[in-house]
Amino acid sequence: MLIVPETLIADLVSAEDAFAAVEATFAAMARGEACNFPVVREALGEGRQYGFKSGLDRAGDMLGVKAGGYFPGNAARGMINHQSTVFLFDPETGLPRAMVGGNLLTALRTAAASAISIDRLARPEARVLGIVGAGHQAAFQLRAAARVRRFERVIGWNLHPEMLPRLAAVAAEVGLPFEAVDLPRMREAEVIVTITSSPAASLMAAHVSPGTHLACMGTDTRGKQEVDPALVAAATVFADEVAQSVSIGEAQHAVAAGLLDAGAIVPIGRVLTGDHPGRSRAEEITLFDGTGVGLQDLAVAAMAVRRAVERGLGTQVAL
Ligand code: NAD
């Protein structure tokens, strides 16, 4: 088994690599070649969450699991709040192939998913990017979004405004002006990414203009919520995986309230394979409910392992 530690990942997998790997994964899911297994996610108390995301991609020769979770006390200790590790197995024999540091990979694959949705669903002429959230993932989200549209400025809102200067620095890094705004000014954005750990909706229908594309990325657990269910109901909803979207994603609330039919949610892989046209009108609100699937983790971890093997990096251990 090869161990690829967290410290090697930045040199092995780029944001572009993650975009390509996640796109291939979503398409494989839509073709029925790959499936995610049910998510296990448990509350540990004091806001900590722990769980497992796993799946099998037959065509991609990938079987595995990401174990990890969210530990909100970490930031105060100088560590990031998400901690995870990916384990890959041989799909034929079940023998372990690799153990891969999953923290940067999680940020890259999550940002890749939302960038794929922006690439495929946002209006081509979108020029204003709105970000709701300013934590660890928000920086990756901003960088990835900036790669797929010619944005001219970024506007940001966060419940904790003292975190926004860090996001402004990321905008500056990609050459975009940044302005901190109140939520009603999100109406200026043509693309909005939500990436908070909020337990209640902050972005309401009145804060969003017709024609906007929303990438709702923060809600990945039962009980989290970033967006007004009325806004979800008014949008054409796409998801990485419908089963996760209705159980742990943003759509859980609109579906539970009877405002959205789960059958109306479109797997984004169907847009990638050409089975669904995606956006159909300029004024349509499109919403991607990105809950994060295990197969995304396997795809980027497998890429890290391939690169590490090619370059003779990582540590082989006998089990
Ligand atoms: P973080 O702890 O670094 O940042 C948390 C963010 O949420 C900050 O902007 C903070 O101000 C905001 N926030 C905290 N409490 C809030 C509240 N009560 N109301 C509104 N906002 C609040 O976390 P992160 O690593 O940036 O992750 C953000 C979210 O994204 C988490 O919910 C995480 O579980 C989720 N996530 C999803 C995926 C996916 O694939 N969809 C992947 C990774 C993380």
Side-chain angles (χ1 to χ4, degrees), residues 70 81-82 109-110 134 136-137 158 160 197 217-218 220 224 290:
Y70 187 68
N81 291 343
H82 269 98
R109 66 78 148 142
T110 306
H136 182 72
Q137 306 294 328
N158 194 43
H160 308 104
S197 51
M217 306 305 295
D220 57 357
K224 285 189 195 172

Side-chain angles (χ1 to χ4, degrees), residues 41 53 66 70 72 75 80-82 106-107 109-110 113 132-138 141 157-161 163 166 194-200 202 216-221 224-226 240 290-293 296:
R41 186 93 167 159
K53 286 186 171 176
K66 178 169 84 170
Y70 187 68
I80 61 171
N81 291 343
H82 269 98
T106 295
R109 66 78 148 142
T110 306
V132 173
H136 182 72
Q137 306 294 328
Q141 293 286 327
W157 179 87
N158 194 43
L159 182 69
H160 308 104
M163 296 168 80
R166 274 199 340 234
T194 63
I195 184 72
T196 70
S197 51
S198 175
S202 38
C216 297
M217 306 305 295
T219 298
D220 57 357
T221 304
K224 285 189 195 172
Q225 184 178 24
E226 300 189 283
D240 43 15
T291 55
V293 296
Q296 279 171 264

Side-chain angles (χ1 to χ4, degrees), residues 281-299:
R281 305 181 319 279
E283 68 278 14
E284 181 179 14
I285 293 177
T286 52
L287 186 153
F288 174 63
D289 190 2
T291 55
V293 296
L295 287 168
Q296 279 171 264
D297 298 304
L298 305 192

Side-chain angles (χ1 to χ4, degrees), residues 9 13-23 25-26 36 39 41 51-54 65-69 82 84 86 101-117 137 140-141 144 147 195 217-220 240 244 248 288 290-303:
I9 301 298
V13 180
S14 68
E16 290 79 4
D17 293 332
F19 188 99
V22 173
E23 221 177 25
T25 292
F26 287 162
N36 295 289
V39 174
R41 186 93 167 159
F52 309 97
K53 286 186 171 176
S54 56
V65 59
K66 178 169 84 170
H82 269 98
S84 60
V86 184
N103 295 348
L104 177 58
L105 288 178
T106 295
L108 290 172
R109 66 78 148 142
T110 306
S114 92
I116 289 164
S117 81
Q137 306 294 328
F140 292 87
Q141 293 286 327
R147 274 189 209 98
I195 184 72
M217 306 305 295
T219 298
D220 57 357
D240 43 15
Q244 287 193 196
I248 58 172
F288 174 63
T291 55
V293 296
L295 287 168
Q296 279 171 264
D297 298 304
L298 305 192
V300 288
M303 181 167 274

Side-chain angles (χ1 to χ4, degrees), residues 75-241:
R77 300 183 189 125
M79 294 181 276
I80 61 171
N81 291 343
H82 269 98
Q83 291 296 327
S84 60
T85 307
V86 184
F87 297 87
L88 297 173
F89 302 88
D90 183 325
E92 292 310 314
T93 63
L95 291 176
R97 277 182 177 166
M99 173 178 151
V100 186
N103 295 348
L104 177 58
L105 288 178
T106 295
L108 290 172
R109 66 78 148 142
T110 306
S114 92
I116 289 164
S117 81
I118 296 167
D119 187 37
R120 299 292 177 144
L121 298 170
R123 283 178 292 154
E125 71 278 15
R127 293 293 175 265
V128 182
L129 171 64
I131 307 266
V132 173
H136 182 72
Q137 306 294 328
F140 292 87
Q141 293 286 327
L142 195 164
R143 288 189 198 103
R147 274 189 209 98
V148 292
R149 281 295 178 276
R150 291 204 188 111
F151 292 114
E152 292 173 353
R153 59 191 178 98
V154 182
I155 56 178
W157 179 87
N158 194 43
L159 182 69
H160 308 104
E162 67 279 7
M163 296 168 80
L164 285 168
R166 274 199 340 234
L167 200 57
V170 177
E173 172 198 308
V174 298
L176 292 172
F178 179 90
E179 190 184 357
V181 297
D182 57 14
L183 281 167
R185 280 198 54 201
M186 278 292 153
R187 286 185 67 83
E188 295 170 25
E190 290 119 339
V191 172
I192 301 174
V193 177
T194 63
I195 184 72
T196 70
S197 51
S198 175
S202 38
L203 190 71
M204 308 309 281
H207 302 150
V208 175
S209 292
T212 301
H213 173 67
L214 295 146
C216 297
M217 306 305 295
T219 298
D220 57 357
T221 304
R222 191 176 296 278
K224 285 189 195 172
Q225 184 178 24
E226 300 189 283
V227 166
D228 184 358
L231 178 56
V232 179
T236 307
V237 181
F238 299 81
D240 43 15
E241 192 187 77

